[in-house]
């Protein structure tokens, strides 16, 4: 993923509500959201490296990963997409997993990782050094920088999620969240971060939804996990220039 906002332990029905966009080269092959035949999880699948950017399990765990935008940092090491599948394939809770991953985090390509189980949530990263932080109840955001870095699109998505939380108690209507993920508004130049990719690219990447012929938003996803252990994941997929390619919704949990 490249843009995430989530509410942790703040809603009467949902212990986790997570919304995010996956931005990627359109030529990179991936499979849509599905139940995997070779692992006890649901998620999309990167067909190049075999991992996933976002997945969940019936025992109430969820995991999502982003890269770190820094062209000066070589993209070397183990594929970060395997971080999600390694967690979801295991039987570890978020706290035990965080302690274990700190020992090997430096071996992976630059990453940000969020892990959730029935009671705990963690943020983990490996730039500039391996780190782990327990997530407190509330609404948080993550893009291609450190946890809760206030990039304009991250702040905007957090605001949309907060508005949704304030306007709904227990229904399953996520239309407003998908509208927020489809926002193509670009931030003003004075609000842009400087990540070393140049002004024109910073402008292009500053919107929640990125439209492009070769690179752009490939999937918009909403995950809602209930306090009762049941949840739903909904994925909308897009092709070159933002062409809509399909939607999948899967329920999970209750194990």
């Amino acid at each position: 993923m490249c843009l995430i906002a989530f509410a942790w332990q703040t809603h009467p029905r949902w212990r986790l509500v997570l919304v995010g966009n996956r931005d990627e080269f359109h030529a990179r092959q991936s499979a849509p959201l599905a139940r995997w035949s070779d692992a006890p999880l649901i998620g999309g699948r990167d067909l190049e490296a075999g991992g996933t950017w976002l997945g969940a399990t019936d025992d109430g765990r969820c995991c999502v990963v982003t890269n770190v935008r820094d062209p000066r940092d070589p993209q070397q090491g183990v594929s970060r997409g395997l971080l999600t599948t390694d967690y979801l394939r295991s039987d570890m809770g978020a706290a035990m997993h965080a302690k274990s991953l700190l020992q090997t985090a430096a071996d992976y390509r630059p990453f940000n990782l969020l892990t959730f189980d029935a009671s705990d949530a963690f943020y983990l990263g490996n730039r500039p050094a391996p780190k782990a932080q327990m997530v407190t109840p509330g609404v948080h955001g993550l893009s291609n920088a450190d946890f809760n870095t206030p990039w304009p699109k991250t702040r905007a998505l957090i605001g949309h999620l907060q508005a949704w939380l304030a306007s709904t108690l227990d229904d399953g209507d996520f239309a407003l969240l998908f509208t927020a993920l489809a926002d193509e508004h670009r931030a003003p130049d004075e609000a842009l971060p400087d990540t070393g990719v140049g002004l024109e690219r910073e402008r292009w990447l500053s919107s929640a939804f990125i439209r492009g012929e070769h690179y752009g938003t490939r999937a918009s996803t909403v995950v809602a996990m209930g306090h009762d252990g049941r949840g739903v994941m909904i994925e909308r997929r897009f092709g070159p220039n933002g062409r809509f390619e399909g939607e999948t919704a899967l329920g999970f949990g209750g194990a």
Side-chain angles (χ1 to χ4, degrees):
M1 306 297 276
C2 288
L3 176 62
I4 299 163
F6 68 95
W8 174 244
Q9 303 287 13
T10 65
H11 190 276
R13 178 179 179 183
W14 308 111
R15 63 176 150 93
L16 171 67
V17 180
L18 184 149
V19 297
N21 277 343
R22 178 198 180 216
D23 304 329
E24 182 56 86
F25 288 100
H26 290 292
R28 186 166 182 135
Q29 296 296 306
S30 61
L33 169 65
R35 282 194 172 271
W36 290 22
S37 61
D38 59 344
L41 65 92
I42 66 169
R45 193 162 197 166
D46 174 24
L47 298 179
E48 182 173 308
T52 185
W53 50 94
L54 170 62
T57 63
D58 286 323
D59 65 1
R61 290 178 298 146
C62 182
C63 191
V64 60
V65 67
T66 81
N67 65 5
V68 177
R69 192 196 305 167
D70 185 350
R72 298 157 297 188
D73 193 340
Q75 298 290 313
Q76 297 176 348
V78 181
S79 171
R80 59 187 150 255
L82 299 178
L83 289 162
T84 52
T85 51
D86 286 348
Y87 172 59
L88 297 173
R89 287 176 187 269
S90 76
D91 58 2
M92 288 190 291
M96 181 181 294
H97 169 267
K99 183 177 180 180
S100 174
L101 182 58
L102 282 176
Q103 309 305 312
T104 59
D107 298 336
Y108 291 84
R109 295 173 189 173
F111 73 83
N112 294 309
L113 187 72
L114 293 168
T115 60
F116 305 89
D117 64 21
S119 57
D120 295 317
F122 277 83
Y123 160 73
L124 300 105
N126 67 346
R127 292 298 188 274
K131 53 195 170 185
Q133 173 185 337
M134 180 176 279
V135 176
T136 57
V139 182
H140 304 275
L142 179 65
S143 186
N144 304 116
D146 275 345
F147 187 48
N148 281 327
T149 296
W151 283 3
K153 65 180 181 180
T154 310
R155 293 200 314 270
L157 190 58
I158 288 174
H160 288 302
L161 178 54
Q162 288 171 325
W164 182 87
L165 292 165
S167 66
T168 182
L169 290 177
D170 62 359
D171 64 13
D173 186 356
F174 304 112
L176 291 178
L177 297 179
F178 278 110
T179 297
L181 291 171
D183 185 6
E184 296 187 52
H185 173 76
R186 296 185 180 185
D189 288 356
E190 61 271 18
L192 294 173
D194 181 4
T195 62
V197 299
L199 180 58
E200 285 303 317
R201 193 167 181 83
E202 295 286 8
R203 289 169 174 162
W204 182 49
L205 296 175
S206 70
S207 59
F209 189 94
I210 298 172
R211 189 182 298 270
E213 180 179 356
H214 302 291
Y215 179 92
T217 298
R218 298 279 305 275
S220 295
T221 308
V222 173
V223 180
M225 301 180 69
H227 295 287
D228 62 358
R230 299 183 181 277
V232 62
M233 185 181 298
I234 308 166
E235 176 189 82
R236 293 182 178 177
R237 294 176 295 280
F238 305 92
N241 296 312
R243 183 183 66 245
F244 179 71
E245 293 190 336
E247 177 177 320
T248 302
L250 288 178
F252 61 93

